[in-house]
DNA sequence: CTAGGGTTAG
């Protein structure tokens, strides 16, 4: 012992001290205090010296050394240790080999981990589970499930660890094994009420869109913790059920749930969807006050929340304050500028990103930049970037969506023929989204020739989309082709389905006021629809002409006008005018694209009342000031 | 020795 202490570096000293103190084999508290950075590089030497000097290297040594390698992700040292273990000592140890699987997983070397499992003379539930969870954690769902099946075939019974891991890989049916089958196995093995298994299980159902099943699993859990609560909240948020997510978050918070950074991240996603700025600020305050560590993911979702709530200044402030940024941080910020039509800011930030070189742009980055150029009227810059991508100067493979951005870019700039030629030259058949974007351009720039061709092609691919009929009909109406308008309307009535009813809302003192078309549900509906009428009379005096081509119903003009005045965004705008102080902008959110007539209406509010209006629709932000919109009437 | 929830885009 004494000799060893003299010649061996500090790493082995740790071991010796630990043995003398009869500590458990993990180095627990002592490891950080006693180890220096160069210790693991001395590992091999230490081992050699120990065996040369006749010291028995026992299980405990190996385990401690392995723990070190896991903690430090010391790959080369771990590999040497592995060789040592297999060649000289404990070749049969299931325990040590399982630790090696964990070690290789931590080093992101699944192939090495798998080799350890495959070479194990015998396996137990822990070694199977270690490998299954390695696959699950790294996103290899197929491999995880496949191994799970092999485990069952081998006659090993899974435990709660196995189920919690394997369920992560079960979202959707994997063909040979479904989440439901695993669920029944869990019931059979009596793990359904286990918190870890339960949260994994409810998460699986939620990711599969089965939110009711997820909720009932959640409600049946005998105990709840942060993770299970977060899982159900984020389940709602990920499905776009933002209000449900918010309501549940507040309820669970009231019941004493201790939120952590994942919880906040999830609820922020819901608040982004709702554009609930007041709630968002409140959550941000909670984060600051509760001293939840500010992890990158949380900050990313704050950037996104502020930008989707219309406050780019706060987004940028969050972005600038970050010590570490991932590609998602950059993307969230770029998307923010892009949706607000701030093309210049998009390019500047993109340049900064490329200069810093800390983070590599990915496909989403380029999408954000291209659509930013498009919405910001910088089409030539956008085209340059697209060609940098096709020539390999930007290392991102162009995808369908990138081509779509270029079509949008050209079309928006009025270069409709060029956009059409571009589509013909694409290496794939145009998608409905791409044709729809060109059709929109044809409507704005009154190109009936191409519009008609593209429109009919689109109606063949997507006959169920009512929006396509409306745009093509607008185009016909603009050139007085009423016969075609009528026939289009008949086709639409036969084939189209209205998937999502139009809905607009506005946040007032942390309460969301939602309006549907021709709303009858809001408590102040009489007052609100009275205000819409009043405004329309006032605006007509200022030259407003209702754009009846936005209504495709087969009714007389008076009826059409009535339908137009019932649009949800007009109700929300008028409510904003009544209920908010003159000093603040009116912030309205719509779940679909805003219609031309409501866009005109908002312009007039900004002009005649001198109120700034911020309207977020499905695609982007519209900021109305003095009768003009930041989108330049193209959206 | 093995375990669950999270951020951008569409």
């Amino acid at each position: 012992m004494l000799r060893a202490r003299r010649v061996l570096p500090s790493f082995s000293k740790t071991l010796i001290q630990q043995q003398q103190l009869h500590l458990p084999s993990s180095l627990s508290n002592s490891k950080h205090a006693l180890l220096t950075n160069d210790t693991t590089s001395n590992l091999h030497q230490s081992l050699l010296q120990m065996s040369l000097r006749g010291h028995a290297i026992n299980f405990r040594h190996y385990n401690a050394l392995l723990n070190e390698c896991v903690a430090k992700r010391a790959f080369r040292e771990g590999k040497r240790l592995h060789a040592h273990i297999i060649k000289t000592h404990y070749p049969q140890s299931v325990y040590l080999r399982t630790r090696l699987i964990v070690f290789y997983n931590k080093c992101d070397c699944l192939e090495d981990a798998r080799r350890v499992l495959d070479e194990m003379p015998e396996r137990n539930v822990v070694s199977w589970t270690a490998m299954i969870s390695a696959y699950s954690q790294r996103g290899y769902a197929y491999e995880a499930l496949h191994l799970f099946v092999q485990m069952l075939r081998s006659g090993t019974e899974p435990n709660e660890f196995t189920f919690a891991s394997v369920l992560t890989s079960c979202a959707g049916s994997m063909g040979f094994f479904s989440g439901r089958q695993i669920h029944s196995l869990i019931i059979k093995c009596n793990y359904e009420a286990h918190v870890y298994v339960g949260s994994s299980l409810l998460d699986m159902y939620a990711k599969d869109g089965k939110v009711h099943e997820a909720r009932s699993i959640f409600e049946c859990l005998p105990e709840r913790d942060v993770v299970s609560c977060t899982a159900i909240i984020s389940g709602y948020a990920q499905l776009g059920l933002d209000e449900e997510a918010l309501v549940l978050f507040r309820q669970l918070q009231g019941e004493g749930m201790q939120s952590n950074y994942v919880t906040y991240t999830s609820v922020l996603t819901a608040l982004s969807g709702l554009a609930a700025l007041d709630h968002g600020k409140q959550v941000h305050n909670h984060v600051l006050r509760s001293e939840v560590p500010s992890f990158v993911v949380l900050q990313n979702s704050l950037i996104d929340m502020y930008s989707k709530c219309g406050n780019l200044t706060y987004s940028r402030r969050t972005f600038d304050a970050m010590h570490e940024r991932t590609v998602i941080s950059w993307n969230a910020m770029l998307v923010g500028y892009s949706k607000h039509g701030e093309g210049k800011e998009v390019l500047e930030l993109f340049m900064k990103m490329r200069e810093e070189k800390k983070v590599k742009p990915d496909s989403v980055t380029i999408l954000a930049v291209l659509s930013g150029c498009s919405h910001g009227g910088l089409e030539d810059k956008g085209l340059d970037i697209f060609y940098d991508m096709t020539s390999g100067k930007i290392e991102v493979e162009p995808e369908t969506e990138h081509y779509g951005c270029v079509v949008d870019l050209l079309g928006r700039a009025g270069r409709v023929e060029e956009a059409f030629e571009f589509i013909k030259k694409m290496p794939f058949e145009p998608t409905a989204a791409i044709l729809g974007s060109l059709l929109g351009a044809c409507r704005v720039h009154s190109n009936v020739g191409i519009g008609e061709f593209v429109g009919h092609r689109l109606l063949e691919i997507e006959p169920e989309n009512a929006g396509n009929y409306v745009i093509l009909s607008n185009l016909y109406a603009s050139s007085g082709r009423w016969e075609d308008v009528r026939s289009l309307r008949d086709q639409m009535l036969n084939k189209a389905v209205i998937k999502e009813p139009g809905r607009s809302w506005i946040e007032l003192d942390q309460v969301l006021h939602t309006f549907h078309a021709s709303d009858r549900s809001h408590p102040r509906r009489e007052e609100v629809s009275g205000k819409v009428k009043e405004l329309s009379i006032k605006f007509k005096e200022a030259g407003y002409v209702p754009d009846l081509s936005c209504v495709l119903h087969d009714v007389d003009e008076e009826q059409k006008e009535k339908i137009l005045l019932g649009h949800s965004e007009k109700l929300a705008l008028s409510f904003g005018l009544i209920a908010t102080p003159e000093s603040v902008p009116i912030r309205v959110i719509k779940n679909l694209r805003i219609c031309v007539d409501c866009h005109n209406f908002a312009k007039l509010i900004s002009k005649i009342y001198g109120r700034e209006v911020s309207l977020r629709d499905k695609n982007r932000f519209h900021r109305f000031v003095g009768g003009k919109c930041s989108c330049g009437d193209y959206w």
Side-chain angles (χ1 to χ4, degrees):
Chain A
M1 258 325 173
L2 280 171
R3 262 172 72 196
R5 190 180 287 181
R6 259 201 325 275
V7 293
L8 293 177
S10 59
F11 193 23
S12 306
K13 259 195 265 176
T14 318
L15 292 175
I16 294 155
Q17 285 167 358
Q18 187 197 7
Q19 279 194 312
Q20 286 169 340
L21 293 167
H22 301 289
L23 284 176
S25 55
S26 93
L27 289 177
S28 56
N29 297 329
S30 61
K31 74 178 167 195
H32 297 296
L34 291 171
L35 287 166
T36 55
N37 279 333
D38 64 334
T39 49
T40 40
S41 58
N42 291 325
L43 169 75
H44 191 55
Q45 220 187 337
S46 316
L47 279 168
L48 270 175
Q49 285 177 341
M50 281 175 86
S51 36
L52 281 174
R53 286 168 204 281
H55 294 289
I57 304 173
N58 63 22
F59 174 86
R60 204 167 260 214
H61 291 118
Y62 281 126
N63 188 41
L65 292 167
L66 208 39
N67 278 341
E68 275 310 310
C69 293
V70 169
K72 297 197 165 179
R73 313 274 195 274
F75 181 66
R76 289 179 53 191
E77 284 71 18
K79 247 194 139 88
R80 283 193 201 128
L81 192 58
H82 182 179
H84 218 279
I85 291 172
I86 298 305
K87 266 191 222 142
T88 60
H89 296 275
Y90 300 101
Q92 305 300 318
S93 169
V94 177
Y95 178 95
L96 283 180
R97 290 184 191 235
T98 305
R99 295 290 293 143
L100 280 165
I101 293 176
V102 173
F103 162 73
Y104 283 123
N105 175 32
K106 288 265 157 54
C107 292
D108 205 0
C109 291
L110 290 191
E111 284 173 12
D112 288 300
R114 180 57 189 260
R115 210 168 302 129
V116 176
L117 182 81
D118 288 341
E119 289 168 0
M120 277 174 89
E122 45 183 300
R123 306 170 186 182
N124 61 20
V125 59
V126 183
S127 34
W128 281 106
T129 303
M131 194 62 226
I132 290 169
S133 97
Y135 282 135
S136 275
Q137 285 166 0
R138 311 260 160 199
Y140 295 96
Y142 180 87
E143 286 78 1
L145 281 165
H146 192 75
L147 198 61
F148 180 68
V149 174
Q150 280 182 268
M151 173 185 174
L152 295 178
R153 288 213 185 106
S154 80
T156 313
E157 195 173 299
N159 65 14
E160 65 274 34
F161 290 77
T162 324
F163 284 123
S165 299
V166 77
L167 282 168
T168 314
S169 299
C170 285
S173 172
M174 294 297 294
F176 60 94
F177 218 77
S178 75
R180 249 177 230 292
Q181 279 173 286
I182 296 192
H183 188 179
S184 48
L185 199 57
I186 288 169
I187 296 172
K188 221 163 84 186
C189 299
N190 220 355
Y191 285 118
E192 211 196 9
H194 190 281
V195 222
Y196 279 60
V197 178
S199 8
S200 208
L201 190 59
L202 76 88
D203 183 62
M204 176 197 77
Y205 278 115
K207 289 212 165 71
D208 214 25
K210 292 162 182 149
V211 75
H212 290 294
E213 316 214 14
R215 181 62 179 264
S216 79
I217 290 163
F218 177 73
E219 296 297 339
C220 291
L221 283 178
E223 53 166 326
R224 291 170 180 175
D225 63 5
V226 214
V227 178
S228 51
C229 291
T230 306
I232 187 70
I233 292 169
S234 84
Y236 282 113
Q238 283 167 356
L239 290 172
L241 300 165
D242 300 319
E243 285 194 78
E244 288 84 344
L246 177 59
V247 167
L248 190 59
F249 170 71
R250 308 197 94 185
Q251 184 199 320
L252 293 172
Q253 227 182 14
E255 291 169 12
M257 168 186 63
Q258 285 299 313
S259 302
N260 65 15
Y261 81 102
V262 184
T263 325
Y264 288 126
T265 302
S266 302
V267 78
L268 282 169
T269 305
L271 297 176
S272 296
L274 295 170
L277 183 60
D278 295 344
H279 282 93
K281 283 181 176 167
Q282 201 192 24
V283 168
H284 195 178
N285 276 332
H286 266 295
V287 169
L288 296 174
R289 256 187 290 131
S290 63
E291 289 171 350
V292 170
S294 242
F295 292 115
V296 182
V297 256
L298 175 58
Q299 290 172 309
N300 290 346
S301 69
L302 280 169
I303 295 175
D304 183 56
M305 182 276 292
Y306 279 124
S307 99
K308 291 204 173 128
C309 289
N311 199 325
L312 278 180
T313 314
Y314 285 4
S315 286
R316 187 56 191 257
R317 208 172 285 168
T318 310
F319 178 84
D320 284 336
M322 289 171 81
H323 299 296
E324 185 206 337
R325 301 185 188 107
T326 62
V327 66
I328 295 180
S329 326
W330 291 91
N331 292 351
M333 197 64 235
L334 288 166
V335 168
Y337 283 130
S338 162
K339 296 228 170 202
H340 285 264
E342 305 273 4
K344 222 180 103 219
E345 300 287 347
V346 169
L347 286 177
E348 270 173 27
L349 194 66
F350 182 51
M351 211 139 64
K352 196 174 166 202
M353 181 183 188
R354 295 179 78 184
E355 278 165 9
E356 275 191 20
K357 287 184 181 163
K358 285 185 195 154
V359 174
K360 249 172 71 181
D362 67 4
S363 134
V364 179
T365 315
I366 307 301
L367 278 180
V369 174
L370 290 177
S371 95
C373 288
S374 179
H375 286 287
L378 300 166
E379 63 274 3
D380 287 325
K381 297 278 182 198
L383 288 176
D384 287 348
I385 286 168
F386 182 76
Y387 290 117
D388 279 351
M389 182 165 54
T390 48
S391 71
K393 206 169 150 194
I394 293 177
E395 287 178 356
V396 175
E397 277 301 303
E399 294 159 10
T400 323
E401 289 80 4
H402 296 109
Y403 283 90
C405 280
V406 173
V407 172
D408 188 66
L409 203 95
L410 292 168
R412 189 177 301 262
R415 293 153 71 168
V416 176
E417 279 85 6
E418 251 179 281
F420 193 44
E421 292 306 312
F422 182 83
I423 288 185
K424 287 192 209 155
K425 282 190 222 137
M426 294 189 314
F428 54 90
E429 285 297 303
T431 60
I434 291 179
L435 293 175
S437 148
L438 185 57
L439 178 61
C442 291
R443 180 183 62 87
V444 175
H445 298 289
S446 307
N447 190 325
V448 186
I450 295 180
E452 190 168 18
F453 180 82
V454 169
H456 283 288
R457 185 94 183 268
L458 185 56
L459 294 186
E460 282 168 27
I461 310 180
E462 238 190 9
E464 72 287 352
N465 184 340
N468 298 333
Y469 297 90
V470 179
I471 298 173
L472 187 53
S473 155
N474 287 158
L475 184 63
Y476 281 140
S478 70
S479 56
R481 289 171 58 175
W482 304 110
E483 196 49 50
D484 291 311
V485 170
R486 217 161 298 141
S487 118
L488 218 49
R489 185 196 58 226
D490 293 342
Q491 283 182 54
M492 182 178 86
L493 292 176
N494 283 330
K495 297 178 193 161
V497 212
I498 295 185
K499 268 196 242 154
E500 209 184 339
R503 177 163 54 88
S504 300
W505 64 96
I506 186 164
E507 185 192 34
L508 269 191
D509 301 324
Q510 289 207 29
V511 178
L512 297 170
H513 296 264
T514 304
F515 297 90
H516 296 90
S518 307
D519 201 294
R520 319 222 96 254
S521 63
H522 195 272
R524 291 166 74 176
R525 62 174 182 267
E526 296 300 335
E527 194 187 347
V528 173
S529 51
K531 189 71 181 179
V532 179
K533 259 177 226 141
E534 181 199 319
L535 291 179
S536 99
I537 293 164
K538 197 164 182 169
F539 292 168
K540 275 182 183 165
E541 287 164 10
Y544 162 66
V545 182
D547 193 331
L548 301 183
S549 75
C550 292
V551 183
L552 282 196
H553 299 75
D554 191 13
V555 289
D556 61 32
E557 300 214 336
E558 198 182 319
Q559 273 295 316
K560 283 189 180 177
E561 200 179 328
K562 217 171 158 186
I563 291 171
L564 275 184
L565 289 181
H567 277 185
S568 66
E569 50 272 57
K570 290 198 186 72
L571 297 170
L573 285 165
S574 305
F575 182 67
L577 207 50
I578 299 171
T580 62
E582 278 180 36
S583 55
V584 299
I586 300 173
R587 294 194 315 113
V588 168
I589 303 94
K590 170 146 200 212
N591 64 336
L592 308 174
R593 277 218 225 167
I594 185 174
C595 88
V596 179
D597 191 61
C598 290
H599 197 263
N600 287 335
F601 202 82
K603 279 184 181 172
L604 286 161
I605 290 183
S606 75
K607 189 176 176 184
I608 291 173
Y609 285 86
R611 288 288 296 270
E612 183 182 327
V613 176
S614 156
L615 198 150
R616 189 186 94 185
D617 77 359
K618 201 169 188 185
N619 279 340
R620 60 165 289 159
F621 275 90
H622 301 260
R623 186 164 159 262
F624 301 89
V625 178
K628 286 202 169 124
C629 180
S630 60
C631 77
D633 296 342
Y634 190 120
W635 64 93

